[in-house]
């Protein structure tokens, strides 16, 4: 079962802040509900796992993540994740994510194209709900991503270039991350 | 024979012989939950097996790590193809002349293929340990569509067959091609088409379905290392064939292999084959010296053990302008999955598909069936039908509707016009089948009268004329002829063993009896009906006749129960074994009454002296004498064995009519009436026939209306649980109206033809024809099953027939 996703999520942080998160695979994984990086093998290879529930199917995928490309100039990340669940499912995701400037200063857009392939029991049981569940998970991911990005220190160059942000606004972004940490 | 006196009538009734609706002897235990199935078998020291299966449909196995599983407490063994290799058991021959992987050898070819087995103290440990076996796969491109599989650039699925340009059924033209099988006269058929004033053609797809018996497959294998004997309890429709296969595979002499089929919770073709799970359990028992049980779960059953159908068919008819068919031409692409594991007679890789001229007198016919490998589970058994007869009947019954629509002829009229006439029997079809007997016109009239056919068509026309009608109305007909009772050993064999069947009857001194057969009941009621045949033949009450089947150590060799062969083949063996006993009994009676054999008349349960009915010996008297007072030189005892090799198949037929209404807003289909007239020749037990017909119609309804095994492009089977796979209950099942005519088979000892599969074979095209008939006024000539509400609603939308709600 193959699902192609093409999504744009608004991020309440500047492109530079967002890119700081996106270029860090551990941080990206941290935004994905149920996911974690367990080991870094080299500059571009990681091991990780992710737990997902789709309808009656629950899977704990353990697998490899490979950063295929990371382009600072275009703020574009391409990674490939492949994993297997011991109960008889496999999953793979080829993800291309870029950061674009938002419509208003200090905001950005996370643009993602992903091809998700699942096989085995996960596809058999959860196939018909894949799109809906993917949407839901990605929305959670985007929310976490946005909060994480907003919590990043604003790069100096950007501070200089941009209008100073009102205190209140920066503070307002903070509480979003706090319940997650709790 | 004297006319039965009043007392004779009572004696006849007491026998509960043929023609009586004797209550099923099996039901006492089944309805109390006292059946004894494979999973009820518990042997001392028994271990449990579970199977590690592939999540991928096509992949190379890079490594298998079983260390974590082996380290788990309670785990006895983890075996892979590499472990079976030294025993040469990692591959096994199939009934179709191919080989199938027992455990995936370097590659997996379909989703949920068996990759490794785990043997543990209990089922739970086995299941946990199966999850601890880590298999590293490298994904390969998946081929699901058989037409794609035959393209030059298609990936090679069966690397083990590399370089093999011929298979069990002739030349292979492509790396994913299995066989091309043809029948009929290509030239004569081409000629008929070239000159025909009218021709029609239609592509149709009969989707992959699964018999889905309530009891899944399983076995308990028990090897006794001291005696060197292997006993295996197994849910098999053909225990003797399994014994032969097991002996050939294992090298254990057939005399030391005992296969026992206990009670079976439905087979429908699913339990004919020898599956990897059986082989693995047997190997594990031999290796460990302990009994090993393996029972599939539902998902494993639907996903991996034999499917049915998956035929892509192109039919063509040539006809005169007034609808007389002159030729039939058929091309089939048959999706056999990863291994050719069909269970057909050896010489017929497409089974008896060439019965596809149906009930019609068609002078010229040709068919070509191409078998193809894909990344799906193997199988291709007959799901409640005789060797691809369902597909054949579907084809011709759909084609005749297509022709009727093209010519604007009534669908009943075109059938009557083309029926083989009563006086043409025995009739030889263009494919060489010799139909034994039939009277189609009489049966057709009976059904049309019962249905009030002209009024139904008038109602349909009125409904179509009304743009606001809430429902479409469809009238489906199916007038089918089956070919069952495989089969004459000159034509039919399985693994070289002729498809005879057998019966052994022993009459005990006190006049009761035991009868053993090579068949095996799975719901057909053999224990009831077989006794009735013996009761009528020998004058012994059914109640004192024990019928035993399924234990290869006690039953005579037989080919088993599938393809409606029990009554046509074993039923004949029973009658002929009984007649051998009858002949000996006559000699004993003559001796006891001190008259010549010719001076005796047989009457119900006794021999009377001609002209003096007060001098007689009952079969009970004769049984006693057989053990103490025999004519000089006669061997004591009263028993007989008969192996029956049928001279021909039998040809049951039926006329089915379905009226249904389709909700134009929701696509829901309601079956208003379903009339099923069956002619199975002599009727042994009308109640059981009725029950079999109800069961077959209900399974037909399931196939037509909801059963399907859908695959996605990656080879995932999306529909292998009972959440998705449709099993109708009393809620969904329509009311069935049954009827019958009786046209005995002239070559069968009691004239019986077999019945249990007819309602399945006949009802599926009948439902399809009814649904398509509902759309026919818009020019629709074909729709693909299953006719679920959603799919029908899509068709309503597509043809501008949907009502907005």
């Amino acid at each position: 079962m193959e699902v192609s996703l093409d999504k744009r999520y608004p991020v309440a942080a500047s492109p530079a802040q967002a890119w700081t998160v996106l270029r860090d695979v551990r941080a990206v994984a941290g935004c994905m509900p149920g996911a974690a990086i367990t080991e870094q093998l080299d500059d571009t290879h990681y091991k990780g796992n992710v737990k997902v529930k789709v309808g009656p199917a629950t899977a704990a995928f353990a697998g490899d993540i490979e950063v295929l490309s990371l382009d600072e100039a275009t703020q574009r990340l391409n990674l490939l994740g492949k994993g297997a669940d011991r109960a008889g499912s496999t999953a793979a995701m080829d993800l291309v994510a870029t950061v674009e400037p938002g419509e208003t200063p200090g905001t950005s857009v996370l643009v993602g194209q992903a091809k998700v392939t699942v096989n085995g029991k996960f596809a058999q049981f959860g196939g018909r709900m894949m799109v809906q569940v993917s949407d839901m998970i990605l929305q959670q991911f985007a929310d976490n991503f946005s909060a994480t990005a907003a919590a990043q220190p604003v790069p100096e160059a950007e501070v200089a270039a941009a209008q100073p942000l009102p205190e209140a606004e920066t503070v307002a972004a903070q509480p979003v991350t706090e319940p997650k940490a709790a | 024979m004297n006319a039965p006196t009043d007392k004779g009538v009572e004696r006849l009734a007491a026998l509960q012989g043929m023609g009586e609706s004797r209550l099923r002897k099996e039901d006492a235990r089944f309805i109390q939950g006292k059946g004894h199935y494979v999973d009820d078998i518990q042997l001392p020291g028994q271990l449990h097996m579970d199977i590690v299966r592939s999540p991928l449909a096509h992949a190379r196995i890079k490594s298998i790590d079983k260390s974590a599983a082996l380290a788990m407490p309670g785990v006895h063994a983890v075996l892979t193809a590499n472990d079976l290799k030294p025993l040469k058991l990692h591959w096994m021959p199939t009934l179709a002349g191919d080989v199938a992987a027992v455990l995936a050898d370097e590659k997996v070819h379909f989703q949920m293929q068996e990759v490794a087995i785990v043997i543990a103290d209990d089922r739970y440990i086995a299941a946990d340990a199966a999850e601890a076996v880590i298999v590293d796969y490298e994904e390969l491109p998946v081929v699901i569509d058989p037409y794609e599989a035959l393209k030059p650039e298609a990936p090679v699925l069966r690397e083990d067959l590399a370089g093999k340009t011929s298979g069990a059924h002739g030349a292979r033209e492509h790396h994913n091609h299995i066989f091309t099988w043809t029948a009929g006269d290509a030239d004569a058929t081409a000629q008929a088409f070239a000159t025909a004033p009218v021709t029609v053609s239609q592509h149709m797809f009969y989707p992959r379905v699964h018999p889905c018996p309530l009891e899944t497959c399983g076995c308990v294998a028990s090897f006794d290392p001291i005696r060197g004997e292997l006993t295996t309890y197994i849910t098999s429709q053909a225990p003797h064939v399994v014994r032969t296969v097991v002996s050939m595979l294992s090298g254990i002499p057939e005399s030391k292999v005992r296969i026992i089929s206990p009670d079976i919770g439905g087979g429908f073709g699913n339990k004919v084959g020898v599956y990897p799970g059986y082989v693995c359990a047997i190997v594990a028992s031999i290796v460990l010296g302990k009994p090993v049980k393996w029972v599939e779960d539902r998902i494993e059953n639907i996903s991996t053990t034999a499917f049915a159908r998956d035929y892509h068919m192109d039919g063509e008819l040539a006809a005169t302008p007034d609808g007389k068919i002159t030729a039939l031409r058929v091309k089939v692409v048959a999706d056999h999955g990863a291994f050719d594991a069909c269970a057909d007679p050896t010489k017929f890789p497409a089974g008896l598909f060439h019965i596809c001229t149906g009930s019609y007198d068609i002078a010229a016919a040709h068919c070509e069936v191409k078998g193809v490998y894909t990344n799906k589970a193997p199988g291709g058994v007959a799901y409640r039908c005789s060797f691809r007869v369902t597909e054949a009947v579907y084809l011709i019954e759909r084609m005749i509707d297509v022709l009727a629509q093209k010519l604007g002829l009534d669908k009943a009229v075109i059938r009557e016009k083309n029926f083989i006439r009563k006086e043409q029997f025995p009739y030889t079809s263009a494919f060489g089948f010799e139909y034994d007997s039939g009277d189609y016109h009489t049966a057709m009239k009976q059904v049309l009268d019962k249905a009030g056919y002209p009024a139904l068509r008038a109602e349909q026309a009125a409904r179509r004329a009304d743009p606001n009608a809430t429902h479409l109305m469809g009238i489906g007909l199916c007038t089918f002829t089956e070919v069952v009772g495989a089969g004459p050993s000159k034509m039919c064999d399985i693994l070289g063993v002729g498809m005879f069947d057998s019966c052994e009857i022993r009459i005990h001194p006190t006049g009761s009896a035991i009868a053993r057969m090579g068949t095996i009941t799975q719901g057909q009621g053999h224990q009831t009906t077989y006794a009735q045949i013996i009761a009528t033949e020998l004058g012994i009450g059914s109640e004192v006749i024990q019928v035993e089947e399924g234990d290869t150590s006690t039953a005579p060799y037989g080919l088993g129960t599938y393809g409606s062969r029990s009554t046509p083949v074993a039923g004949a063996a029973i009658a002929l074994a009984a007649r051998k006993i009858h002949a000996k009994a006559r000699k004993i009676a003559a001796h006891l009454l001190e008259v010549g054999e010719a001076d005796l008349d047989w009457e119900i349960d006794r021999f009377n002296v001609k002209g003096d009915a007060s001098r007689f010996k009952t079969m009970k008297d004769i049984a006693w004498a057989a053990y103490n007072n025999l004519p000089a030189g006669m061997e004591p005892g009263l028993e007989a064995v008969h192996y029956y090799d049928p001279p021909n198949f039998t040809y049951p037929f039926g006329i089915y009519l379905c009226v249904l209404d389709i909700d134009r807003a929701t696509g829901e289909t309601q079956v208003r009436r379903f009339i099923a007239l069956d002619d199975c020749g002599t009727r042994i037990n009308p109640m059981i026939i009725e029950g079999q017909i109800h069961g077959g119609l209900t399974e037909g309804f399931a196939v037509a209306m909801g059963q399907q095994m859908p695959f996605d492009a990656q080879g995932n089977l999306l529909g292998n649980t009972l959440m998705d796979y449709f099993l109708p209950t009393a809620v969904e099942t329509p009311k069935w109206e049954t009827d019958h005519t009786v046209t005995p088979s002239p070559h069968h000892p009691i004239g019986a033809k077999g019945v249990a599969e007819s309602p399945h074979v006949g009802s599926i095209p009948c439902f399809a024809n009814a649904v398509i008939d509902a759309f026919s006024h818009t020019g629709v000539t074909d729709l693909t099953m299953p006719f679920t509400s959603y799919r029908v609603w899509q068709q309503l939308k597509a043809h501008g027939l949907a009502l907005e709600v």
Side-chain angles (χ1 to χ4, degrees):
Chain A
M1 163 136 297
E2 208 170 85
V3 179
S4 287
L5 303 159
D6 194 346
K7 300 277 178 188
R8 296 174 69 84
Y9 294 103
V11 177
S14 69
Q17 284 173 299
W19 177 242
T20 310
V21 181
L22 189 61
R23 67 188 306 284
D24 177 358
V25 172
R26 282 177 186 276
V28 170
C31 297
M32 182 66 89
I37 296 290
T38 53
E39 192 183 348
Q40 180 164 5
L41 301 174
D42 58 35
D43 283 355
T44 55
H45 292 84
Y46 300 82
K47 281 195 177 296
N49 53 47
V50 58
K51 275 190 190 159
V52 197
K53 187 167 162 51
V54 177
T58 306
F61 293 104
D64 303 305
I65 298 156
E66 184 185 358
V67 178
L68 297 175
S69 69
L70 187 70
D71 184 14
E72 297 282 350
T74 55
Q75 301 195 329
R76 180 180 181 277
L77 166 75
N78 181 9
L79 64 76
L80 181 66
K82 273 188 167 183
D85 167 66
R86 301 202 326 186
S89 305
T90 66
M93 178 168 75
D94 188 329
L95 171 76
V96 175
T98 49
V99 172
E100 291 177 8
E103 284 179 11
T104 55
T107 67
S108 52
V109 179
L110 177 65
V111 182
Q113 285 106 31
K115 198 175 81 176
V116 179
T117 311
V118 294
N119 285 304
K121 284 184 185 167
F122 205 66
Q124 293 171 346
F125 290 118
R128 76 203 63 189
M129 297 167 78
M130 270 287 289
V131 174
Q132 292 86 338
V133 174
S134 303
D135 277 354
M136 194 185 75
I137 292 173
L138 284 177
Q139 187 61 54
Q140 288 172 8
F141 168 81
D143 290 348
N144 293 343
F145 183 91
S146 177
T148 309
Q152 299 300 313
V154 179
E156 278 179 31
E158 205 167 304
V159 176
Q163 304 247 348
L165 286 170
E167 280 285 292
E169 224 170 283
T170 334
V171 174
Q174 296 290 351
V176 182
T177 59
E178 277 175 10
K180 301 281 172 195
Chain B
M1 189 192 287
N2 298 337
T5 58
D6 280 351
K7 232 177 153 185
V9 171
E10 280 167 31
R11 292 192 340 250
L12 193 62
L15 289 182
Q16 286 284 293
M18 285 201 288
E20 298 283 341
S21 285
R22 182 184 185 223
L23 296 181
R24 280 164 48 98
K25 294 290 104 187
E26 295 85 352
D27 286 347
R29 65 181 191 278
F30 290 149
I31 61 177
Q32 295 181 73
K34 299 268 171 64
H36 197 59
Y37 301 94
V38 157
D39 212 6
D40 294 318
I41 309 281
Q42 305 290 349
L43 300 180
Q46 170 182 290
L47 302 175
H48 294 260
M49 180 176 110
D50 202 354
I51 300 179
V52 179
R53 296 179 179 278
S54 170
L56 300 169
H58 195 200
R60 205 169 298 287
I61 297 174
K62 294 198 300 197
S63 65
I64 301 176
D65 179 359
K66 48 191 186 183
S67 56
L70 280 171
M72 291 171 70
V75 173
H76 292 255
V78 178
L79 302 178
T80 66
N82 281 340
D83 299 307
L84 300 183
K85 214 173 264 184
L87 306 168
K88 293 194 168 63
L89 282 176
H90 54 316
W91 289 83
M92 64 177 177
T94 70
L95 295 179
D98 193 4
V99 289
V102 174
L103 292 174
D105 182 23
E106 297 177 13
K107 251 179 78 165
V108 290
H109 291 87
F110 61 95
Q111 186 182 52
M112 293 199 57
Q113 187 179 344
E114 301 82 358
V115 175
I117 56 162
V118 176
I119 314 292
D121 282 338
D122 67 37
R123 180 140 193 196
Y124 301 95
I125 298 172
D128 286 346
E131 290 193 3
V133 176
I134 308 298
V135 186
D136 193 9
Y137 298 101
E138 177 194 332
E139 289 187 44
L140 296 170
V142 173
V143 183
I144 290 306
D145 179 342
Y147 292 97
E148 293 293 321
L150 287 178
K151 288 187 175 165
E153 68 275 17
V156 177
L157 302 186
R158 290 287 300 277
E159 290 170 358
D160 60 299
L161 300 180
K164 290 204 172 169
T165 53
S166 69
H169 306 287
R172 296 178 66 219
E173 60 195 44
H174 179 278
H175 51 264
N176 294 328
H177 173 250
I178 310 171
F179 63 81
T180 297
W181 184 80
T182 60
D185 187 334
D187 292 341
T189 306
Q191 180 88 29
F193 272 93
T195 56
V198 179
T199 61
V200 288
S201 66
Q202 182 67 54
H203 177 76
M204 62 190 87
F205 173 46
Y206 198 136
R208 178 175 277 232
V209 292
H210 193 276
C212 200
L214 285 186
E215 181 204 25
T216 60
C217 296
C219 70
V220 182
S222 179
F223 182 70
D224 181 335
I226 310 296
R227 294 179 176 164
E229 292 173 4
L230 174 71
T231 302
T232 302
Y233 299 84
I234 191 166
T235 55
S236 176
Q237 295 178 233
H240 291 277
V241 179
V242 172
R243 186 182 69 186
T244 301
V245 171
V246 168
S247 174
M248 287 161 79
L249 283 177
S250 67
I252 302 171
E254 208 164 351
S255 55
K256 292 192 174 190
V257 179
R258 182 182 184 190
I259 303 293
I260 302 170
S261 280
D263 283 335
I264 296 182
F268 314 115
N270 185 232
K271 292 170 181 168
V272 171
V274 173
Y275 296 120
Y278 302 154
V279 177
C280 289
I282 288 169
V283 170
S285 179
I286 293 171
V287 169
L288 298 169
K290 289 190 170 183
V292 174
K293 179 188 276 189
W294 170 67
V295 177
E296 285 179 323
D297 66 25
R298 177 62 59 193
I299 294 169
E300 291 175 305
N301 178 249
I302 299 179
S303 306
T304 64
T305 52
F307 75 93
R309 326 278 153 80
D310 221 346
Y311 258 34
H312 301 257
M313 304 186 274
D314 282 291
E316 291 176 89
L317 286 177
T320 62
D322 63 349
K324 177 75 188 93
I325 300 167
T326 53
L328 166 71
R329 189 159 51 197
V330 187
K331 282 193 174 181
V332 177
V333 170
D335 186 341
H336 283 221
F339 310 110
D340 187 11
C342 293
D344 294 310
T346 305
K347 291 173 193 144
F348 300 99
L352 305 176
F353 179 79
H354 50 312
I355 193 70
C356 60
T357 51
S359 306
Y360 313 108
D361 182 14
I362 301 175
H366 185 255
C367 87
E368 176 197 284
V369 180
K370 206 174 262 198
V372 181
Y373 291 121
T374 60
N375 289 122
K376 296 183 194 164
V381 294
Y383 169 7
R384 202 171 186 145
C385 82
S386 181
F387 311 113
R388 303 281 186 190
V389 172
T390 306
E391 291 91 324
V393 170
Y394 191 84
L395 178 106
I396 186 64
E397 290 302 311
R398 289 274 29 266
M399 285 311 301
I400 200 161
D401 269 20
V402 171
L403 178 63
Q405 283 178 217
K406 166 134 184 180
L407 294 173
L409 284 175
D410 181 88
K411 288 168 181 172
V413 170
I414 196 168
R415 286 174 161 81
E416 287 174 323
K417 190 185 285 276
N418 286 287
F419 275 157
I420 301 160
R421 295 185 315 279
K422 187 180 174 181
E423 61 274 17
Q424 287 178 278
F425 292 95
Y427 169 87
T428 303
S429 80
F431 287 121
F433 286 107
E434 191 189 296
Y435 292 31
D436 54 355
S437 61
D439 181 358
Y440 305 149
H441 287 94
T442 301
M444 183 74 159
K445 183 174 185 315
Q446 200 163 313
V447 167
L448 296 181
D449 287 350
K450 188 168 183 160
Y453 185 73
L456 290 170
R457 285 292 177 201
E459 183 189 349
Q460 184 185 43
R463 191 83 71 86
R464 285 176 175 172
D466 174 8
N468 297 318
T470 57
H471 289 76
L472 297 183
M473 178 177 169
I475 304 164
L477 274 163
C478 175
T479 56
F480 65 93
T481 297
E482 271 211 291
V483 49
V484 306
S489 62
K490 61 180 184 289
M491 298 168 74
C492 298
D493 72 275
I494 299 272
L495 291 175
V497 182
M499 292 187 72
F500 58 82
D501 228 292
S502 60
C503 172
E504 175 199 289
I505 305 171
R506 294 183 195 166
I507 313 294
H508 306 312
T510 51
S512 61
I514 183 160
R516 294 186 171 114
M517 260 66 66
T519 50
I520 172 75
T521 193
Q522 312 127 40
Q524 295 88 344
H526 290 177
Q527 286 160 6
T528 308
T529 54
Y530 284 174
Q532 290 179 262
I533 299 173
I534 299 169
T536 294
E537 292 285 341
L538 290 180
I540 296 171
S542 295
E543 287 303 315
V544 296
I545 301 167
Q546 286 294 109
V547 172
E548 276 187 14
E549 301 175 288
D551 183 342
T552 57
S553 284
T554 57
Y557 202 106
L559 274 282
T561 294
Y562 42 85
S564 280
R565 64 187 301 282
S566 294
T567 298
V569 190
I574 293 165
L576 295 180
R579 287 174 197 178
K580 287 179 183 172
I581 290 173
H582 198 273
K584 182 172 181 179
R586 179 184 283 272
K587 288 187 183 3
I588 297 171
H591 162 72
L592 295 176
L593 292 163
E594 298 180 333
V595 296
E597 278 184 64
D599 296 325
L600 295 175
D601 280 331
W602 171 253
E603 190 214 359
I604 302 170
D605 59 354
R606 63 191 56 182
F607 288 100
N608 294 329
V609 173
K610 268 193 182 22
D612 182 2
S614 68
R615 294 181 64 208
F616 64 85
K617 287 292 171 187
T618 64
M619 191 53 88
K620 194 175 165 72
D621 301 331
I622 294 163
W624 185 252
Y627 292 86
N628 60 25
N629 182 7
L630 291 155
M634 183 181 274
E635 199 181 338
L638 195 58
E639 60 183 69
V641 182
H642 193 89
Y643 283 69
Y644 183 76
D645 184 5
N648 189 6
F649 298 101
T650 59
Y651 296 82
F653 64 93
I655 312 285
Y656 289 3
L657 187 147
C658 173
V659 186
L660 50 78
D661 299 290
I662 297 172
D663 188 317
R664 289 177 58 194
T666 65
E668 283 168 293
T669 300
Q670 194 70 40
V671 176
R672 192 198 305 182
R673 289 189 77 182
F674 196 102
I675 301 169
L677 180 149
D678 275 284
D679 192 320
C680 60
T682 303
R683 292 156 63 85
I684 298 165
N685 183 322
M687 182 200 69
I688 285 189
I689 291 173
E690 187 97 340
Q692 289 286 323
I693 290 169
H694 279 207
L697 294 174
T698 305
E699 275 188 326
F701 174 74
V703 168
M705 295 301 175
Q707 294 190 335
Q708 187 195 14
M709 300 175 77
F711 290 82
D712 68 14
Q714 288 74 39
N716 291 296
L717 171 52
L718 309 172
N720 55 1
T721 75
L722 296 186
M723 290 190 296
D724 299 292
Y725 200 72
F726 176 49
L727 289 193
T729 67
V731 175
E732 297 92 357
T733 304
K735 176 178 158 50
W736 309 119
E737 301 172 57
T738 58
D739 198 353
H740 66 275
T741 54
V742 177
T743 313
S745 169
H747 66 73
H748 188 277
I750 57 173
K753 290 184 171 185
V755 75
E757 299 173 333
S758 296
H760 190 71
V761 167
S763 65
I764 297 165
C766 192
F767 287 116
N769 281 348
V771 171
I772 296 161
D773 182 67
F775 285 85
S776 60
H777 58 300
T778 65
V780 168
T781 56
D782 190 58
L783 298 171
T784 302
M785 296 185 289
F787 305 111
T788 59
S789 300
Y790 177 56
R791 292 165 63 116
V792 170
W793 178 80
Q794 287 175 310
Q795 294 301 327
L796 290 168
K797 293 288 258 190
H799 296 96
L801 294 168
L803 277 187
E804 297 302 328
V805 277

